[in-house]
Structures are given as C-alpha cells and as structure tokens.
Amino acid sequence: MNIFAQFEARVREALEALVRSGKLPEGLDFSRVVVEPPRDPSHGDLATNAALVLAKEAKANPKALGEALAEELRGDPRVTEASVAGPGFINLRLVPDVFHDVVRAALTDAEFGQAKLPGGPVNIEYVSANPTGPMHVGHGRGAVFGDALASLLVAAGRKVTREYYINDAGAQVDVLARSAYLRYREALGEEIGAIPEGLYPGDYLKPVGLQLCHEHGRDLLDMPEHEWLPIVREAAIQAMMAMIRDDLAAIGIRHDVFFSERTLQGANGGKVAELLEELRAKGLVYEGRLPPPKGQLPEDWEDREQTLFRATQFGDDVDRPLLKSDGSFTYFASDIAYHREKWLAGASELIDVLGADHGGYVKRMQAAVKAVSDGRAVLDVKLCQLVRLLRAGEPVKMSKRSGEFVTLREVIDEVGRDAIRFMMLYRKNDATLDFDLAKVVEKSKDNPVFYVQYGHARCFSVRRQALEAFPSEDLSKASLASDADLSILTDPGEIDMMRLIAQYPRVLESAAVAHEPHRIAFHLYETASSLHSFWNKGKDLPQLRIVNPTDRKSTRARLALVEALGGVLASGLAVLGVTAPDEMR
C-alpha cells in the first residue's frame, strides 16, 4: 500500500480535470510530477511539485496554478487541508484513517512495501575480484552493495541474475601460477627465501603448493614452464575461487552465474572474434588513428593506424581500439564480448558494480552496450569508493596472511557479517567509507546496525510484555488489524511512527529505481529512532507506555502500531541481508 503512489495518481486526475475545464492546456508532460513527504513534517503529510514543474510549459503563474490544483484536491474526502506554500508547492493534510489503513496493511500484507516496477530481466555483475588471492575489505563493499541491490530489485518486482566475472585469462593468473609454483617447490622441501618482486607473497598460496605436491609429487619439476604453467594455473585458480566463494558465503552473498573469461576465447578468437565481425557488419569498426591523449603521454601510447570501435557514435569521448599492435584483442574488446553475452542471455538492463578506479570505464562500456543491443539494453555502472579500515580511529595495519591488505574474512571473524553488511550500506556507494572495527560493535545509538537491530528486538519485547499482561487476549496481527482502535493514537510520536511506516513503500521503490540501497538503511535508522524515542517518552509519561496492564484498549492500539513498525524493520533488514533478531544480548 503506497499512499504516495495513490496520491500521485490523484494529483494527475486533478490535473486532467483542470485540462478538461480549460484551466490548463492539453498535451502537458506530467512525468516530472511527484508526491513526496514535505521537508518539514509540520507543513503536512504529503507535498507535490506539480504546479512548479508544469507552470512554465503551461505558461501559468506557479502559485495561481497551485491554488487551482489545491482547490481541486480539496474535494478528495481523504484530504483535510490543501495549501500552497512558497513558489507553488502544495502541502496536503490527510484524514487519520489513511494512516490507520497503512498500519492495518502492514500488519496483514506479507509483501507490504514491495513494488511491481516495470522492466525486463536485470543482470547485476558484482565482486568479480581477480582470482589471485583472498578478498579484501574493498572487495567486500562492492560485494555487499551488489548483493543488496539485487535483493532490492527483487523486492521491487524485477527478475534478477546475480553474476560474477572470473578474470581467469591474461597475465595476472600466470603470475598467480608462478607464485603457486614457488610454494610447490617450498612444499617439496626447497628453501625459497624471500618471495621475488612481482609475485604474490601471501601465505594463502601455501595450501596450493601442498596440494600440488600431494597430486604431482616431484613431476612438475621435470617439466618445462610451458607444460607445468597451465597445470599449476588451473589448480591455483580453482583454489582461489573456492576461497573466494567461502568468503562470500560467510557474508551471506551468493551468485547465480560464475562466468569465466576464458570461455570468451577459443578457436579463431572465439566469442571476441564473433563480436568483432558483428560490429564490422554494423559498420561500427574502422581503421584509423587516434589523437594523442591530453596531458603527459602514457609510455605505451602509439601513434599508429588501429582497428577502432565507433564509440563516439554512442556517447563516448573518443573511439576505442579493439586490437593491440601484436594483433591480439584489447581488454575492451573482451569486455564488449562479455556484455554481449549478458544481452544474448536475455538481460535488458545491465548493472556493473566496480571499484572507484574504473571511472574511465563507464562511458565506453555504456556505448558498447548500446551498440551490441541496438539500443535495446542499458548499462548502469555503480562505482564503490574506498574503505578506510580503522580501529578506534587509528588505521589498521596490513594483514600477514595476505601480505598486502586486511582480508575480508579477518573482518568477518572479528565483527560479524551483520555489522559489515549494514555499515557498508550506511553510506552512498560513491562516498569514501570509514569502517571502524571498534565502533561497529558498540551497543549505542552511535552504532546504526545495533540501533536498528535493537529496534526490531524491542518490538518483540513489547509483544512478550503484552502477552504477559493480557494472557487471554488474541494479540495476533490479524486480530489487531481488525479491531484495534487506532483512532486513539494521537501523540506526535505515534503519528511520526505511522508516517514512517507509510513512507517505507515509497522509499523502497525510489531506492530500486535509483539503484541506491543506502536509502533503505537510512530509513530503517530513522524508523528505529522513532520507536526508541516513543519508548523513552513512555518511561517518563505513564499514559504513553506501550503496554499498560490496566488499559487493554491503548495496549492493543499501540501494539498494533509497534508490530507494523517491526514488520518494516524486518522487511528492510532482509533487503540489506542483515538479520532481524528477536532479542539482543
């Protein structure tokens, strides 16, 4: 039950009435008309920008248009007041029954808050960490963001595929293989000394060396590199992916598809060559020279004729090379082929979750997706900024196990998956995140994950108290929804809770449209805060206590409100992949 969507439809009906009466011209674009909570709750329950966004197109004074629209809306029996504020905003006050109906819907509808957004299948690619070592905390942010975004879109009615792209071709996995081969020699008893520069130094490759030793004995030592390299590479990649899958499972993340980069390659160039021929057939490939990049020239820049993709035809800044000087495919060509596979698999909307260092990747890949899908698919690239790992405000030192960074598993083991998931989502993805290992386990209002989970646990505590006070009462949600007298809920704290429950469907839908799961985390914190504030008020004012053993009527009404609010907290936490505990210890 989304009252904002309902009243947005009502505002459009009122605008159509103004068109029919000749007060507005025909053919106006209503797409920018929204209904939202007013910035100041004292101004009303809902606000619409309709007069502001239509005035110029309608050649009307926005305030006069606002008055005409407000007059039309005053005829709605659910509206007690429609007033024009500032340059043309219309603020609406609603009859209390509107919010009482929301509370009842939240009690009885298992899918309260979920939406039915239009659109075809969505493919979200996230994590896609190189299989060269354990996941670090930076990987964890993109992993949690992508997973929560997938759950958010499912809650909004979209069909979603969760995908991981395994970078198992190219130079970096050969470096991995050589590093693992060194550990293999170590497992055979050799003294290897310091790890040479350029190889992976972490202890995590020691088990791979032992495995190779058990499986091959000393046989690999007798082989030239071109023979042992593919054997060791395959073993190392499999071991690294098993470790990465294990780390992901520990944080509650799963994928539907693990796509191997190597499957794009094959006889005569494989899928990448297929892509190149398709682009040629569309007239999107040509031989030409690129202008030198601005600023200092990169060392590998060559002024030569190249095979180029017409990326500028689809919004990119420059055309892009598809072949290197040695005739092999560029990484960009492989990336286009990979995204073409997603499109061919049926996805009409593609989302890539990447680190902030991939900013230069966005325009070229959006151009590529437009080209391979003939404009029928869209790509949104979500960049996740760095995570600064702290302990009581001080930077955390590097991990011995990885040799370079603190592993995600080390952080999971220390603070738990709930703290990681919630706090990774409590800032927008493109803002740098300070993750303090000491603060995320504090039991205080300053720790958002604790405060929200404590809010959910408090709802269950209220229910247990009510059952003790009224053991013979039917306190099921269905019973409360049918006969609790919600009209007695008139305290500002109670009204605030009802408003926040009513806003949840709108927050979920807008977060899904914008691909911004942090909006859910923010709303949950605000919702939990409203419950805690009202609870504390009841300690000082006995007449506002949620459970009053001498007042059955107020207890049933307030329990209905708290149960509805608890359902919102549980729903939002489920979207974020965070547990909703019944009690906190």
Side-chain angles (χ1 to χ4, degrees):
M1 182 180 182
N2 186 337
I3 64 170
F4 294 88
Q6 291 175 4
F7 275 89
E8 188 173 302
R10 178 67 189 91
V11 167
R12 289 169 192 258
E13 288 174 4
L15 290 168
E16 294 287 359
L18 292 177
V19 171
R20 288 193 299 272
S21 68
K23 295 178 182 177
L24 277 178
E26 294 184 356
L28 293 177
D29 177 12
F30 295 161
S31 63
R32 292 185 296 147
V33 172
V34 297
V35 172
E36 56 194 355
R39 291 183 181 178
D40 184 345
S42 68
H43 291 168
D45 299 313
L46 308 176
T48 180
N49 65 347
L52 279 174
V53 298
L54 294 175
K56 185 175 181 180
E57 186 183 358
K59 295 182 173 57
N61 177 285
K63 195 147 189 172
L65 176 53
E67 289 291 353
L69 181 56
E71 183 60 32
E72 196 72 34
L73 293 170
R74 289 180 190 120
D76 191 310
R78 299 170 296 175
V79 175
T80 61
E81 181 184 340
S83 59
V84 182
F89 274 105
I90 301 170
N91 293 319
L92 304 176
R93 293 188 189 278
L94 309 179
V95 296
D97 279 351
V98 170
F99 293 98
H100 301 162
D101 289 344
V102 168
V103 171
R104 293 187 182 96
L107 288 170
T108 57
D109 183 358
E111 296 185 345
F112 177 79
Q114 297 188 16
K116 300 294 180 188
L117 292 180
V122 184
N123 178 294
I124 305 183
E125 181 209 333
Y126 56 106
V127 188
S128 297
N130 287 340
T132 54
M135 295 181 63
H136 57 65
V137 179
H139 292 140
R141 187 175 193 185
V144 169
F145 175 85
D147 195 60
L149 178 55
S151 297
L152 173 59
L153 289 172
V154 169
R158 303 296 299 275
K159 181 181 178 182
V160 176
T161 297
R162 305 165 191 244
E163 187 154 333
Y164 187 119
Y165 182 57
I166 306 172
N167 295 106
D168 53 4
Q172 81 278 3
V173 286
D174 286 345
V175 173
L176 172 71
R178 293 186 179 97
S179 305
Y181 185 75
L182 202 63
R183 295 300 188 180
Y184 160 70
R185 287 166 44 201
E186 182 182 45
L188 289 171
E190 283 190 37
E191 189 70 42
I192 62 172
I195 304 297
E197 187 74 25
L199 297 185
Y200 296 112
D203 291 348
Y204 60 86
L205 284 173
K206 288 185 176 182
V208 182
L210 285 170
Q211 177 191 335
L212 289 165
C213 179
H214 291 315
E215 290 181 2
H216 298 279
R218 304 182 66 84
D219 292 351
L220 299 180
L221 294 178
D222 299 326
M223 297 181 187
E225 182 180 280
H226 73 272
E227 289 185 13
W228 65 251
L229 188 68
I231 297 171
V232 176
R233 182 173 57 213
E234 185 63 27
I237 289 171
Q238 292 300 321
M240 295 303 98
M241 286 308 302
M243 180 172 57
I244 287 170
R245 281 186 170 99
D246 193 47
D247 288 348
L248 291 173
I251 202 171
I253 290 170
R254 65 175 181 83
H255 289 83
D256 302 310
V257 175
F258 284 84
F259 189 101
S260 165
E261 181 184 1
R262 280 184 292 175
T263 63
L264 294 172
Q265 303 173 359
N268 301 315
K271 300 290 185 182
V272 190
E274 279 183 26
L275 163 83
L276 199 59
E277 289 309 305
E278 181 180 304
L279 293 178
R280 285 188 194 280
K282 292 180 177 181
L284 299 177
V285 174
Y286 70 101
E287 303 300 316
R289 292 178 182 270
L290 288 175
K294 295 178 181 178
Q296 186 173 355
L297 290 180
E299 288 183 9
D300 60 351
W301 187 79
E302 297 176 274
D303 182 12
R304 64 181 179 86
E305 190 167 89
Q306 302 184 68
T307 301
L308 301 172
F309 163 58
R310 297 186 188 277
T312 52
Q313 189 170 316
F314 300 93
D316 197 3
D317 298 325
V318 295
D319 291 338
R320 303 287 177 176
L322 296 172
L323 294 176
K324 299 177 185 177
S325 56
D326 63 2
S328 63
F329 297 112
T330 62
Y331 289 119
F332 178 55
S334 294
D335 284 341
I336 305 175
Y338 170 49
H339 285 74
R340 174 176 175 263
E341 291 301 301
K342 297 184 195 182
W343 157 248
L344 293 176
S348 59
E349 184 175 348
L350 311 181
I351 303 172
D352 290 354
V353 179
L354 302 171
D357 57 338
H358 287 76
Y361 174 94
V362 178
K363 278 189 176 181
R364 71 187 67 176
M365 283 315 306
Q366 288 176 335
V369 168
K370 286 179 187 175
V372 298
S373 69
D374 297 322
R376 289 179 287 168
V378 294
L379 170 67
D380 183 17
V381 181
K382 308 302 289 188
L383 300 176
C384 291
Q385 270 290 354
L386 298 174
V387 177
R388 290 194 292 247
L389 198 61
L390 309 171
R391 192 188 304 280
E394 295 298 319
V396 175
K397 294 181 180 178
M398 295 296 98
S399 161
K400 180 181 178 182
R401 179 167 180 258
S402 72
E404 298 173 322
F405 48 78
V406 177
T407 67
L408 178 61
R409 177 52 72 94
E410 288 169 323
V411 180
I412 296 170
D413 291 344
E414 180 167 342
V415 303
R417 67 178 256 189
D418 285 346
I420 293 173
R421 289 191 69 112
F422 196 95
M423 294 310 297
M424 291 288 185
L425 296 165
Y426 200 61
R427 280 185 74 81
K428 193 176 178 183
N429 58 284
D430 60 3
T432 300
L433 172 69
D434 287 343
F435 190 96
D436 195 308
L437 294 164
K439 288 187 177 180
V440 299
V441 293
E442 285 181 1
K443 295 183 177 180
S444 74
K445 183 179 181 180
D446 295 330
N447 177 8
V449 61
F450 167 79
Y451 206 55
V452 173
Q453 288 184 314
Y454 185 41
H456 187 268
R458 176 158 273 171
C459 293
F460 270 76
S461 174
V462 167
R463 179 169 185 77
R464 288 191 289 268
Q465 292 173 32
L467 288 169
E468 290 174 8
F470 299 95
S472 60
E473 280 279 318
D474 181 358
L475 297 178
S476 66
K477 290 183 179 181
S479 175
L480 294 171
S482 66
D483 66 9
D485 184 3
L486 303 181
S487 67
I488 66 174
L489 302 177
T490 58
D491 182 82
E494 294 166 331
I495 292 169
D496 184 50
M497 284 190 280
M498 283 190 274
R499 281 176 167 166
L500 288 165
I501 294 167
Q503 287 172 21
Y504 178 63
R506 176 185 176 274
V507 170
L508 190 144
E509 182 173 313
S510 63
V513 170
H515 298 166
E516 293 184 346
H518 72 274
R519 297 189 190 192
I520 302 291
F522 289 176
H523 186 73
L524 294 183
Y525 185 83
E526 189 177 0
T527 302
S529 295
S530 71
L531 171 65
H532 295 315
S533 295
F534 188 74
W535 172 278
N536 290 331
K537 191 187 290 188
K539 289 195 295 187
D540 299 326
L541 302 171
Q543 70 273 23
L544 293 181
R545 286 176 185 163
I546 299 173
V547 177
N548 186 341
T550 64
D551 190 339
R552 169 188 176 277
K553 186 176 181 180
S554 72
T555 297
R556 286 184 68 83
R558 288 179 180 140
L559 179 60
L561 178 58
V562 169
E563 290 274 56
L565 185 141
V568 166
L569 293 177
S571 172
L573 286 169
V575 167
L576 302 183
V578 177
T579 57
D582 296 352
E583 57 183 340
M584 301 284 281
R585 296 179 181 177

